Amino acid sequence: MSSAMESLDAPLAPAAPPARRPGLGETARVRLYQVALLAVFLGLWEGLTRVPYLMKNTFLDPFFISRPSLVAEQLWTWTFGAQAGFLLPHLGSTLAATLLGLGVASVTGFAAGLVLSQNPILARTLNPFIVSCNSLPRIAMVPLITMMFGLGLLAKVVTVWFVVFFLIFFNTFKGSLSVEKHILQFCQTLGASPRQILWNVRVPSALAWTFAALPNAISFSLVGVVIAEFVGTTTGMGYLIVSSLSTLNASEMFAAISVLGLCGIGLVSLAERVERRLLRWSPQFNER
């Protein structure tokens, strides 16, 4: 989970060329390939776990890895069957902690990155402390965070903050400094004040880099919340996974994992829509 150690003195990564916006036909073809790939994977999983020899002599035993049909049955039971509504409190608890922690980490990381990018002396002073904190193993800190903040929502939010903050911070810092010099010189020639350059040039550049990190930040947020729920709680998708392990219920475990995967896809898609709205000036969203 821990990201690679970064430094405020590291060179800036070159900007990626504008991406061509896919057409309707290309999008439909990609979706078809995705569905076909998923169907092949699920078909192999279902078929191989029904071969008697493989079931007895390999790990391909439905007792350990379940089957897609059994996972689907479990999801149906949670949604429409005898346990209808059972999943909602657990999913709501995990999503609430994920979104709240992600929001706090994004705001504080963006603000800190923007402030330090405008204060070179302060950035160089804090650089070794930031790098050392970013090098700490995230998973190892979860028990300590739980001891300090308890087993409730606050501990999960703090865990997400600790996991995501540095990812957002470093991208914002680099994005703010990635503005080309000739653009800054042009703005100064037109009489723009430092504050105007900050809000109209540096902040949009930092936002573009921050949104580039958001898909990974969302994934890390979900992982952080689930790990925090492993330590000790009575609600959440992590709790469902741990409880299914204690009862050796592979179908329930894979059903919970599948729901988390779908939530990740949904959150990333939502972030992409927000990015398209806020960064509509970007060339990648103006391509036809």
Side-chain angles (χ1 to χ4, degrees), residues 1-6 131 134-138 162-168 170 216 220:
M1 185 187 302
S2 176
S3 61
M5 182 173 65
E6 298 192 44
V131 170
N134 186 44
S135 303
L136 294 175
R138 308 304 198 253
F162 190 71
V163 169
V164 173
F165 172 82
F166 292 102
L167 180 63
I168 299 297
F170 279 113
N216 283 335
F220 287 174

Side-chain angles (χ1 to χ4, degrees), residues 90-100 222 225 229 237 263-264 267:
H90 299 284
L91 181 59
S93 176
T94 298
L95 287 180
T98 299
L99 294 175
L100 186 57
L222 279 171
V225 170
E229 291 171 345
M237 302 303 295
C263 288
L267 290 176

Side-chain angles (χ1 to χ4, degrees), residues 43 45 57-58 61 72 84 126-127 132 153 169 201 204 207 218 230 243-244 261 274-275 279:
W45 182 4
N57 298 280
T58 69
D61 187 337
L126 296 179
N127 180 54
S132 62
L153 176 64
F169 165 78
V201 179
L207 273 176
I218 290 172
F230 284 169
S243 63
S244 65
V274 174
E275 179 185 14
L279 304 182

Side-chain angles (χ1 to χ4, degrees), residues 12 109-119 168-181 184 197-199 201-210:
L12 299 178
F110 184 86
L114 203 60
V115 169
L116 290 190
S117 69
Q118 303 306 302
N119 294 272
I168 299 297
F169 165 78
F170 279 113
N171 270 56
T172 301
F173 183 85
K174 302 301 183 185
S176 178
L177 295 179
S178 68
V179 181
E180 297 181 5
K181 290 185 177 180
L184 299 177
I197 293 176
L198 172 64
W199 288 106
V201 179
R202 293 194 183 277
V203 168
S205 177
L207 273 176
W209 281 61
T210 301

Side-chain angles (χ1 to χ4, degrees), residues 72-130:
E73 182 180 346
Q74 181 63 60
L75 290 173
W76 178 270
T77 301
W78 280 346
T79 308
F80 304 105
Q83 293 180 299
F86 169 79
L87 188 64
L88 292 180
H90 299 284
L91 181 59
S93 176
T94 298
L95 287 180
T98 299
L99 294 175
L100 186 57
L102 178 64
V104 173
S106 298
V107 172
T108 55
F110 184 86
L114 203 60
V115 169
L116 290 190
S117 69
Q118 303 306 302
N119 294 272
I121 300 299
L122 181 61
R124 292 176 65 89
T125 302
L126 296 179
N127 180 54
F129 303 99
I130 293 173

